Amino acid sequence: MSKPPYRALRIVLGFLCLLLAVAGVLLIFSSRPLIMRMFMHPPESEISTLLLAAVKEMGGVFLMVSIMLFLASREPARNVAIIDGTALGLCILAISPLLSLYTLDISRLYPASLIWTRSIVRLALAVLLYYLRPRQADWKPAGNF
């Protein structure tokens, strides 16, 4: 019995893996001027040493998730939990900036349209992952019953 190839899901997972790996390496080896450019030139006082340390830690988390997505892309049917977790994580990452937009004063740092666009793209990726995820096969007893 052959297994379905899940080609589209493997491509999406590979793209996300590559994107997170590049972002992780960029965050780990970044410096203050690069961080200021990535955050669209905030005031100098907003970029502290603590923020730079936290950004480097997040780069490590990005690399960790990238490895998990790479391993899930090799055999999606056996790694449905990673795919589901990634889709749910993207939903949470889509909601949290919108919550920050309305509870904090980040609209002076980022345009609201940019935050909304990023959230919509994350939700679209989550829906795509959920749509492409492997479905459970019907359970059949062993033997000839």
Side-chain angles (χ1 to χ4, degrees), residues 63-118:
L63 282 177
M64 177 186 67
V65 173
S66 173
I67 291 169
M68 289 171 46
L69 289 176
F70 172 73
L71 295 174
S73 71
R74 292 173 55 196
E75 200 167 342
R78 292 188 61 178
N79 297 301
V80 177
I82 294 174
I83 297 167
D84 289 345
T86 304
L88 185 61
L90 284 169
C91 289
I92 293 169
L93 284 174
I95 293 170
S96 61
L98 296 175
L99 186 63
S100 296
L101 180 64
Y102 292 111
T103 58
L104 303 172
D105 189 25
I106 63 169
S107 59
R108 65 185 174 95
L109 295 175
Y110 299 112
S113 61
L114 181 67
I115 294 172
W116 273 98
T117 303
R118 191 172 64 182

Side-chain angles (χ1 to χ4, degrees), residues 31 33 44 51 62 77 119 121 124 132 135 144:
S31 61
E44 183 77 29
L51 175 70
F62 281 14
S119 292
V121 168
L132 294 175
R135 303 288 181 223
N144 296 326

Side-chain angles (χ1 to χ4, degrees), residues 8-39:
L9 179 61
R10 294 180 76 189
I11 291 171
V12 170
L13 289 174
F15 171 73
L16 287 175
C17 169
L18 183 65
L19 187 70
L20 285 174
V22 168
V25 169
L26 188 68
L27 289 177
I28 288 173
F29 295 111
S30 64
S31 61
R32 185 178 300 263
L34 182 61
I35 294 296
M36 288 187 65
R37 184 171 294 171
M38 284 175 28
F39 286 132

Side-chain angles (χ1 to χ4, degrees), residues 138-145:
D138 292 333
W139 181 81
K140 296 180 183 174
N144 296 326
F145 293 106

